[in-house]
């Protein structure tokens, strides 16, 4: 409880400030009533949890709720801090500036998977998650709902050279003046937005300003009275093909597809071809089990080790698998481990090959660990 901090300038409930790595684990706690740590330039940072100065712990299976700050009401990751944020409930936090649930700033690239991020708010931007200034997190397999931003990005905001990978999330019923679901700002921001359900958000499902150039593929973008994808910059054409727009006739555009009965898209959006049916299965309503997934070395040249574990008391788990996908979402390699011990890391090697034993090319790949209906994903780079 951060209501009575030990130091008058430190109102964060938990501080990671000494370069901690993923072996420092915060698990199973309720983090509440934090007010943030004072920064002379920015105000209060990290109401619930502050990770700063290259601190990258494991934050798993916690309830992070009812915290406040200027930046990062629930969690703030600042200055090269890239924690594993896994299977937490991050709810009812608020930030006067940005990042009601999670705020990322200046070269921070956490892995954010399996979390429920709901009911957070911010006076400015990124009510669910804000990515600002050279941040490139993996945001995968989360439920991001009912977050409210005063101006930009109700669910997620990516701006100022930030390029998150946004994969397999449910982004629903968030609100903002611009970009209720996702807002992308700045000419050097290029998020990869793939295989998400982006529905019922108020203030455009995805909104792009100032030359942002996201890749938007294989999502379900439906059920909004505003634009499914909006782009205000004529020089950049948004790559948004192969999405489901809510109708087999595709999205509505007054000149490019006037017969489309799906959600509307603005000018400067390339939406053709489109999917003729949903690409995303319904998300389960059950609480996911807590999974951990790490890849080392990363990047790698010849082989890498995939470390995985189940950090959860619900056991046994009858089935689990690890699958590797390429950047286009195609399955490359499948592993079906024979055994796993709860709360103990297991490891399998990957030699940069596919299921046929052929070496794959250099690039970014996604490793997905699935157990008992829950999953977590991380990215790995192969350099030949």
């Amino acid at each position: 409880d951060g209501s009575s901090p030990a130091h008058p300038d430190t109102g964060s409930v938990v501080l990671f400030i000494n370069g901690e790595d993923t072996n420092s684990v915060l698990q199973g706690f309720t983090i509440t009533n934090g007010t943030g740590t004072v920064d002379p330039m920015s105000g209060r940072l990290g109401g619930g949890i502050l990770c700063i100065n290259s601190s990258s712990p494991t934050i798993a299976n916690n309830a992070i709720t009812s915290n406040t700050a200027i930046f990062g009401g629930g969690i703030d990751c600042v200055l090269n801090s890239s924690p594993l944020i896994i299977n937490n409930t991050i709810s009812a936090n608020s930030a006067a500036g940005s990042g009601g649930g999670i705020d990322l700033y200046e070269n921070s690239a956490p892995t954010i998977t399996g979390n429920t991020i709901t009911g957070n708010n911010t006076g400015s931007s990124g009510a669910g998650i804000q990515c600002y200034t050279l941040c490139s997190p993996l945001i995968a397999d989360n439920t991001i709902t009912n977050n409210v931003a005063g101006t930009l990005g109700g669910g997620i905001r990516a701006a100022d050279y930030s390029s998150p990978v946004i994969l397999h999330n449910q982004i629903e019923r968030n609100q903002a003046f611009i970009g209720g679901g996702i807002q992308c700002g700045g000419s050097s921001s290029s998020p990869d937005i793939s295989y998400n359900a982006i529905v019922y958000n108020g203030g455009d499902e995805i909104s792009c300003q100032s030359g942002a150039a996201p890749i938007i593929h294989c999502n379900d973008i439906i059920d909004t009275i505003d634009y499914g994808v909006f782009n205000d910059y004529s020089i950049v054409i948004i790559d948004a093909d192969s999405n489901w727009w809510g109708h087999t006739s595709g999205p509505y555009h007054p000149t490019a597809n006037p017969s489309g009965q799906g959600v509307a898209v603005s000018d400067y959006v390339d939406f053709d071809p489109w999917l003729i049916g949903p690409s995303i299965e319904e998300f389960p309503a059950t609480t996911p089990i807590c999974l951990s997934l790490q890849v080392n070395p990363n990047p790698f040249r010849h082989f890498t080790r995939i470390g995985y574990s189940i950090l959860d008391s619900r056991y046994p788990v009858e089935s689990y698998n690890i699958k590797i996908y390429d950047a286009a979402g195609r399955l490359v390699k499948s592993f079906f481990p024979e055994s796993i011990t709860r709360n103990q890391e297991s490891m399998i090697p990957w030699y940069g090959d596919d299921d046929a034993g052929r070496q794959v090319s250099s690039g970014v790949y996604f490793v997905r660990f699935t157990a008992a209906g829950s999953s977590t994903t991380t990215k790995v780079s192969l350099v030949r």
Side-chain angles (χ1 to χ4, degrees), residues 297-338:
N298 185 11
F300 76 101
R301 184 177 300 275
H302 301 295
F303 82 98
T304 190
R305 300 174 183 86
I306 301 171
Y308 58 97
S309 59
I310 298 175
L311 306 173
D312 201 288
S313 59
R314 287 165 287 175
Y315 195 78
V317 176
E318 296 180 354
S319 63
Y320 36 87
N321 62 72
I322 294 171
K323 295 185 177 182
I324 300 173
Y325 298 85
D326 64 16
R330 296 179 293 249
L331 179 63
V332 172
K333 182 83 171 181
S334 299
F335 299 94
F336 299 93
E338 295 182 357

Side-chain angles (χ1 to χ4, degrees), residues 186-377:
S187 59
S188 295
S189 293
S190 52
D192 183 341
I193 304 170
S194 301
Y195 297 95
N196 303 280
I198 308 173
V199 299
Y200 298 114
N201 296 287
D204 302 330
E205 301 286 16
I206 302 173
S207 190
C208 306
Q209 278 73 42
S210 304
I215 297 171
I216 305 170
H217 288 171
C218 300
N219 303 279
D220 292 352
I221 305 173
I222 59 176
D223 295 314
T224 180
I225 61 174
D226 298 298
Y227 286 106
V229 175
F230 176 84
N231 180 21
D232 73 351
Y233 199 65
S234 62
I235 296 175
V236 174
I237 305 300
I238 301 299
D239 181 357
D241 64 34
S242 302
N243 295 289
W244 166 241
W245 303 95
H247 197 273
T248 57
S249 60
Y252 170 75
H253 186 276
T255 57
N257 195 32
S259 61
Q261 298 181 49
V263 299
V265 296
S266 74
D267 293 337
Y268 322 124
V269 176
D270 178 10
F271 55 81
D272 191 4
W274 57 80
L275 300 180
I276 60 172
S279 65
I280 309 300
E281 297 179 359
E282 290 295 321
F283 285 80
T286 57
T287 302
I289 66 173
C290 187
L291 308 176
S292 175
L293 178 65
Q294 299 183 57
V295 179
N296 185 52
N298 185 11
F300 76 101
R301 184 177 300 275
H302 301 295
F303 82 98
T304 190
R305 300 174 183 86
I306 301 171
Y308 58 97
S309 59
I310 298 175
L311 306 173
D312 201 288
S313 59
R314 287 165 287 175
Y315 195 78
V317 176
E318 296 180 354
S319 63
Y320 36 87
N321 62 72
I322 294 171
K323 295 185 177 182
I324 300 173
Y325 298 85
D326 64 16
R330 296 179 293 249
L331 179 63
V332 172
K333 182 83 171 181
S334 299
F335 299 94
F336 299 93
E338 295 182 357
S339 62
I340 192 169
T341 301
R342 179 168 53 92
N343 291 323
Q344 179 176 316
E345 186 176 74
S346 300
M347 188 276 292
I348 54 174
W350 180 42
Y351 295 93
D353 59 340
D354 63 13
D355 278 327
R358 299 168 297 204
Q359 293 293 296
V360 299
S361 60
S362 297
V364 174
Y365 293 84
F366 297 95
V367 183
R368 195 175 196 197
F369 173 36
T370 300
S374 298
S375 62
T376 185
T377 305

Side-chain angles (χ1 to χ4, degrees), residues 18-314:
N18 296 312
E20 292 87 350
D21 62 16
T22 54
N23 292 314
S24 295
V25 179
L26 178 70
Q27 180 179 335
F29 291 92
T30 296
I31 311 297
T32 190
N33 293 331
T35 56
T37 297
V38 171
D39 176 81
M41 300 294 293
S42 304
R44 290 191 175 272
L45 310 178
I49 301 170
L50 175 60
C51 302
I52 195 168
N53 298 329
S54 302
S55 296
S56 301
T58 298
I59 301 169
N61 207 28
N62 302 284
I64 303 166
T65 185
S66 300
N67 301 284
T68 63
I70 303 298
F71 299 100
I75 302 173
D76 204 2
C77 303
V78 185
L79 296 173
N80 303 293
S81 295
S82 301
L84 299 178
I85 302 174
I86 306 170
N87 287 51
N88 303 278
T89 298
I90 303 170
S91 64
N93 302 285
S94 63
S98 64
I102 302 173
D103 188 62
L104 312 177
Y105 180 67
E106 203 162 298
N107 283 302
S108 294
T111 296
I112 303 170
T113 65
N115 302 280
T116 297
I117 302 171
T118 185
N120 303 285
N121 69 84
T122 176
S124 181
S125 57
I129 301 172
Q130 161 110 337
C131 310
Y132 195 77
T133 307
L134 296 167
C135 290
S136 55
L138 172 65
I139 303 171
D141 300 294
N142 303 283
T143 300
I144 303 172
T145 62
N146 295 300
N147 302 286
V148 180
T151 54
L152 306 170
I156 300 171
R157 183 182 185 228
D160 192 28
Y161 300 93
S162 291
S163 300
V165 174
I166 302 171
L167 181 71
H168 290 289
N169 300 282
Q170 181 182 10
I171 303 171
E172 180 179 344
R173 300 183 189 277
N174 304 284
Q175 297 182 42
F177 183 68
I178 298 173
I182 300 172
Q183 192 269 337
C184 308
S187 59
S188 295
S189 293
S190 52
D192 183 341
I193 304 170
S194 301
Y195 297 95
N196 303 280
I198 308 173
V199 299
Y200 298 114
N201 296 287
D204 302 330
E205 301 286 16
I206 302 173
S207 190
C208 306
Q209 278 73 42
S210 304
I215 297 171
I216 305 170
H217 288 171
C218 300
N219 303 279
D220 292 352
I221 305 173
I222 59 176
D223 295 314
T224 180
I225 61 174
D226 298 298
Y227 286 106
V229 175
F230 176 84
N231 180 21
D232 73 351
Y233 199 65
S234 62
I235 296 175
V236 174
I237 305 300
I238 301 299
D239 181 357
D241 64 34
S242 302
N243 295 289
W244 166 241
W245 303 95
H247 197 273
T248 57
S249 60
Y252 170 75
H253 186 276
T255 57
N257 195 32
S259 61
Q261 298 181 49
V263 299
V265 296
S266 74
D267 293 337
Y268 322 124
V269 176
D270 178 10
F271 55 81
D272 191 4
W274 57 80
L275 300 180
I276 60 172
S279 65
I280 309 300
E281 297 179 359
E282 290 295 321
F283 285 80
T286 57
T287 302
I289 66 173
C290 187
L291 308 176
S292 175
L293 178 65
Q294 299 183 57
V295 179
N296 185 52
N298 185 11
F300 76 101
R301 184 177 300 275
H302 301 295
F303 82 98
T304 190
R305 300 174 183 86
I306 301 171
Y308 58 97
S309 59
I310 298 175
L311 306 173
D312 201 288
S313 59
R314 287 165 287 175

